[in-house]
């Protein structure tokens, strides 16, 4: 986001999301290059950003789609993803969603409970189909990320736990319209220390031995997503460390002959290309701090309110005025909630009403989590 773009858009239409499609293309190219070396298959996690221009760009690159609802499956197919590269995950798939996915002959259902397998079997029988499934296993690996985005621990609602596996295999055997093709894992999100992925590989190797000992053939391993991005210094690391990330799985996963490896990346693909652009409505003096009151809030970007997450904040109007004095501000939105705060003690050039503020790395879990709370308008997206 540079000052030329501000000239182009003006200030009248704030707040809006700006998506840098050149950066997105560079990201996808880097991802393809790093993954194809290892013959890894990557699905884009639609839930991170489902904007149709974004989906079209990503589908053109040949990536698959990772969906967590029937509407995401529909959006992905409409944007050019081929159904045989669509996986359907989620702890609570409704009958309607399962029926829709069956009718589209998607690649795989990632199943999270015994009852879900039984329901898919029943619905597949009615459509005279056999559903390919993967078991989402809970590897009990700590991702060391925020508690709300940790998913791979036994205490989380996700996945099937190791002690249930014997029973799961019996159920699958009795289900004539179910075909087990994969094992699926996803330990959490915004993982920047890559060690948990190594731990995940070791856990997968152990679990594979268990399946081998029971003579169960597994065609593919899906290791999920979760690769984090650099929210602190997005300009230093506009692209995620894909090479390093894939190398871990190349080095530590013990694969069976002809076994495929699938990934489901969301944030790392679309996170850095997005900036939420907002205008300062008021500068208000508090007791210990100055508030910058923006025209964007948790209705456009809920991550700080929901998981105390950090986004780099910049004064785009004053960005190039390096000699201006600096001040500390609490940067807040207009919504009637005290958690509607983008950052405390943010150091910015002296800021005035009307300045444009950029909230960086808002391309993932921003627009898709927007709400109309306070009857707010939906923010536009500019490219
Ligand atoms: C959310 C999710 C992903 C993507 O996570 P990122 O952190 O955005 O990469 C992948 N797989 C599953 C099952 C998910 O729920």
């Amino acid at each position: 986001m540079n000052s030329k773009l501000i000239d182009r858009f003006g200030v009248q239409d704030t707040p809006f999301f700006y998506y840098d499609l050149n950066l997105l293309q560079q990201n996808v190219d880097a991802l393809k290059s790093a993954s194809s070396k290892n013959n890894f298959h990557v699905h884009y996690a639609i839930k991170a950003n489902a904007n149709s221009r974004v989906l079209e760009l990503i589908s053109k690159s040949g990536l698959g789609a990772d969906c967590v609802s029937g509407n995401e499956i529909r959006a992905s197919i409409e944007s050019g993803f081929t159904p045989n590269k669509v996986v359907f995950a989620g702890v609570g798939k409704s009958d309607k969603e399962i029926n829709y996915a069956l009718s589209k002959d998607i690649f795989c259902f990632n199943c999270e409970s015994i009852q879900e397998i039984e329901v898919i079997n029943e619905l597949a029988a009615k459509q005279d189909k056999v559903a390919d499934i993967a078991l989402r296993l809970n590897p009990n690996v700590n991702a060391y990320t925020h508690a709300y985005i940790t998913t791979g621990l036994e205490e989380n609602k996700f996945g099937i736990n190791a002690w249930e596996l014997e029973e799961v295999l019996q159920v699958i055997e009795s289900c004539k319209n179910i075909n087990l093709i994969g094992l699926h894992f996803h330990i959490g999100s915004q993982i920047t220390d890559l060690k948990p992925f190594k731990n995940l590989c070791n856990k997968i190797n152990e679990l594979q031995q268990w399946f081998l000992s029971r003579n169960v053939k597994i065609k593919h391993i899906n290791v999920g997503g979760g690769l984090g991005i650099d929210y602190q210094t997005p300009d230093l690391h506009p692209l995620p460390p894909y090479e390093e990330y894939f190398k871990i799985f190349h080095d530590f996963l013990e694969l069976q002959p002809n076994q495929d490896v699938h990934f489901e990346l969301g944030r790392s693909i679309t996170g850095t290309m997005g900036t939420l652009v907002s205008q300062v409505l008021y500068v208000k003096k508090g007791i210990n701090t100055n508030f910058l009151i923006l025209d964007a809030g948790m209705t456009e970007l809920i991550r700080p309110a929901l998981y105390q997450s950090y986004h780099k904040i910049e004064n785009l109007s004053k960005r190039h005025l390096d000699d201006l004095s600096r001040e500390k501000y609490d940067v807040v939105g207009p919504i009637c909630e005290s958690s509607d705060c983008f950052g405390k003690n943010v150091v910015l050039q002296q800021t005035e009403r009307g300045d444009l503020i950029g909230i960086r790395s808002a391309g993932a879990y921003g627009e898709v989590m927007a709400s109309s709370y306070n009857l707010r308008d939906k923010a536009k997206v500019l490219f």
Side-chain angles (χ1 to χ4, degrees), residues 88-95 97-98 109-112 116 120:
F88 185 15
V91 69
K93 303 174 185 75
S94 72
D95 293 20
E97 292 174 315
I98 293 168
F109 291 81
N110 294 337
C111 295
E112 307 219 7
E116 181 192 335
I120 294 177

Side-chain angles (χ1 to χ4, degrees), residues 104-345:
K104 292 293 171 188
D105 296 316
I106 63 163
F107 170 63
C108 190
F109 291 81
N110 294 337
C111 295
E112 307 219 7
S113 68
I114 290 178
Q115 199 166 31
E116 181 192 335
I117 296 169
E118 291 168 341
V119 169
I120 294 177
N121 180 55
E122 215 178 285
L123 297 175
K126 284 192 190 135
Q127 289 194 29
D128 212 7
K129 292 191 169 173
V130 174
D132 287 331
I133 69 159
L135 298 177
R136 177 168 180 175
L137 303 183
N138 191 333
N140 202 22
V141 166
N142 198 333
Y144 298 103
T145 183
H146 191 277
Y148 287 2
I149 49 177
T150 293
T151 55
L153 293 176
E154 281 164 359
E155 70 217 45
N156 298 127
K157 69 177 174 181
F158 300 101
I160 294 166
N161 290 313
W163 63 84
E164 300 171 288
L165 280 182
E166 203 81 63
E167 188 186 350
V168 169
L169 283 190
Q170 281 167 19
V171 169
I172 290 175
E173 209 149 299
S174 71
C175 287
K176 298 292 162 256
N177 296 74
I178 291 288
N179 181 29
L180 176 63
I181 63 167
L183 299 182
H184 174 232
F185 305 85
H186 177 66
I187 56 173
S189 199
Q190 184 50 18
I191 300 167
T192 47
D193 169 6
L194 299 182
K195 187 102 188 297
F197 293 118
K198 186 179 156 190
N199 297 342
L200 172 64
C201 289
N202 292 333
K203 212 49 187 265
I204 292 174
N205 296 338
E206 250 174 59
L207 284 159
Q208 283 245 72
Q209 288 308 318
W210 188 91
F211 282 89
L212 275 178
S213 72
R214 279 154 186 79
N215 256 328
V216 180
K217 277 236 158 58
I218 300 292
K219 181 74 186 76
H220 78 267
I221 302 291
N222 182 335
V223 299
L227 176 62
I229 60 173
D230 181 354
Y231 282 100
Q232 268 69 28
T233 50
D235 294 319
L236 279 184
H237 301 112
L239 299 178
Y242 287 132
E243 298 276 349
E244 216 184 317
Y245 171 69
F246 287 122
K247 190 173 184 309
I248 290 185
F249 294 92
H250 172 267
D251 289 351
F252 294 100
L253 263 188
E254 291 162 9
L255 296 176
Q256 303 304 311
N258 297 318
Q259 206 167 39
D260 294 323
V261 186
H262 291 246
F263 292 78
E264 303 169 332
L265 296 171
R267 184 193 313 275
S268 56
I269 299 177
T270 52
T272 44
M273 61 118 200
T275 301
L276 174 60
V277 181
S278 178
Q279 206 177 147
V280 176
L281 294 175
Y282 303 105
V283 183
K284 179 173 162 176
K285 285 231 177 293
I287 296 175
N288 296 315
T289 179
N290 294 318
F291 291 103
L292 287 187
I293 300 172
L294 305 187
D295 63 3
M298 63 193 285
T299 43
E300 286 68 47
L301 182 67
I302 201 175
R303 299 187 66 256
L306 193 59
Y307 334 110
Q308 291 110 27
S309 46
Y310 174 86
H311 286 262
K312 187 174 168 64
I313 298 172
E314 292 172 341
N315 184 330
L316 301 173
S317 306
K318 307 270 167 66
R319 191 170 165 177
H320 303 289
L321 303 176
D322 281 336
D323 47 350
L324 264 196
S325 65
R326 311 274 156 151
E327 296 256 0
K328 275 188 186 166
Y329 298 99
D330 283 7
V331 181
V332 303
I335 308 301
C336 305
E337 300 286 338
S338 293
S339 60
D340 183 30
C341 175
F342 289 118
K344 286 190 191 298
N345 291 315

Side-chain angles (χ1 to χ4, degrees), residues 342-362:
F342 289 118
K344 286 190 191 298
N345 291 315
V346 181
V347 178
L348 294 171
Q349 289 96 333
Q350 193 146 40
T351 298
E352 307 165 295
R353 170 176 161 84
D355 283 357
L356 283 186
I357 300 294
I359 301 168
R360 303 287 305 275
S361 315

